[in-house]
């Protein structure tokens, strides 16, 4: 199979390679019932040593920067309570954590969640966290530009491998809210 974007040596429908995914991501793909068929989620095998965005696009092609998104886990605090949430933004931009995210989560302070917290709470590897398979009770803020992309490259839950899915799928994930100008 040929990936819908990029030129990867190996691409397969994600439902055919659940063993390559972390447990929460595999469960989300296996149980997916959205308008976008699960078979439209494609797994591509990639080098885990270059999973971070800058190294990844330098190796696999700069054009992928325009079609990829990063999922960041944030901790929102108000009155002694902490809420974990995720933001999905184009890779070429950054989530407006102290403005838009803080207001939407009704928080006094928002920061990036500590790495160990993000890994433990998602069941995913740092550097590979994806919105597919996040805890269903988490708010997931999706930049509307991501949802408008024909296909989006995101993490697979591991540093090895990426997922490619139609942008519309991300608006259908549990807890998802489309947000204009979430990224700066």
């Amino acid at each position: 199979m040929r990936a819908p974007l990029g030129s990867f040596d190996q691409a397969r429908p994600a439902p055919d390679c659940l063993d390559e995914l972390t447990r929460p991501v595999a469960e989300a793909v296996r149980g997916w019932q959205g308008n976008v068929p699960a078979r439209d989620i494609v797994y591509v095998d990639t080098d885990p040593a270059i999973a971070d965005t800058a190294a990844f696009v330098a190796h696999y092609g700069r054009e992928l920067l325009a079609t990829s998104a990063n999922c960041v886990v944030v901790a929102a605090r108000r009155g002694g309570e902490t809420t974990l949430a995720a933001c999905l933004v184009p890779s070429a931009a950054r989530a407006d954590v102290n403005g838009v995210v803080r207001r939407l989560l009704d928080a006094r302070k928002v920061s990036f969640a500590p790495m160990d917290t993000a890994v433990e709470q998602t069941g995913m590897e740092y550097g590979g966290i994806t919105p597919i398979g996040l805890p269903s009770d988490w708010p997931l803020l999706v930049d509307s530009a991501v949802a408008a992309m024909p296909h989006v490259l995101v993490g697979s839950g591991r540093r090895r491998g990426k997922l490619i899915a139609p942008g519309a799928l991300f608006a259908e994930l549990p807890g998802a809210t489309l947000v204009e100008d979430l990224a700066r």
Side-chain angles (χ1 to χ4, degrees):
M1 146 177 234
R2 182 171 160 78
L5 52 89
S7 54
F8 298 96
D9 294 335
Q10 296 182 23
R12 298 179 292 170
D16 293 351
C17 54
L18 297 176
D19 290 344
E20 300 294 330
L21 306 172
T22 60
R23 183 190 50 75
V25 178
E27 288 175 1
V29 170
R30 186 182 303 108
W32 180 249
Q33 304 216 349
N35 291 319
V36 175
R39 294 199 66 76
D40 288 356
I41 305 169
V42 176
Y43 173 81
V44 293
D45 189 43
T46 60
D47 183 347
I50 54 173
D52 296 326
T53 303
F56 186 87
V57 298
H59 179 82
Y60 289 102
R62 294 242 172 251
E63 71 282 358
L64 292 173
L65 187 61
T67 57
S68 62
N70 288 332
C71 183
V72 295
V73 177
V74 297
R77 294 176 190 83
R78 177 177 272 298
E81 296 290 319
T82 300
T83 300
L84 293 176
C87 302
L88 185 65
V89 296
S91 292
R94 299 200 184 278
D96 184 2
V97 173
N98 292 311
V100 176
V101 175
R102 186 179 57 76
R103 282 191 301 277
L104 289 171
L105 296 178
D106 192 29
R108 187 167 174 272
K109 179 180 169 124
V110 176
S111 58
F112 295 105
M115 179 177 66
D116 57 337
T117 300
V119 168
E120 179 182 328
Q121 296 298 313
T122 63
M124 301 178 203
E125 294 177 6
Y126 191 76
I129 293 176
T130 184
I132 300 170
L134 287 173
S136 60
D137 60 340
W138 282 19
L140 169 60
L141 306 178
V142 178
D143 191 293
S144 57
V146 173
M149 292 179 190
H151 290 94
V152 183
L153 180 88
V154 295
S156 68
R158 297 175 52 211
R159 288 186 64 82
R160 166 168 234 112
K162 299 284 185 185
L163 296 175
I164 301 171
L169 175 138
F170 300 102
E172 295 184 43
L173 290 172
T177 301
L178 283 180
V179 180
E180 290 289 327
D181 302 319
L182 176 63
R184 299 186 298 157

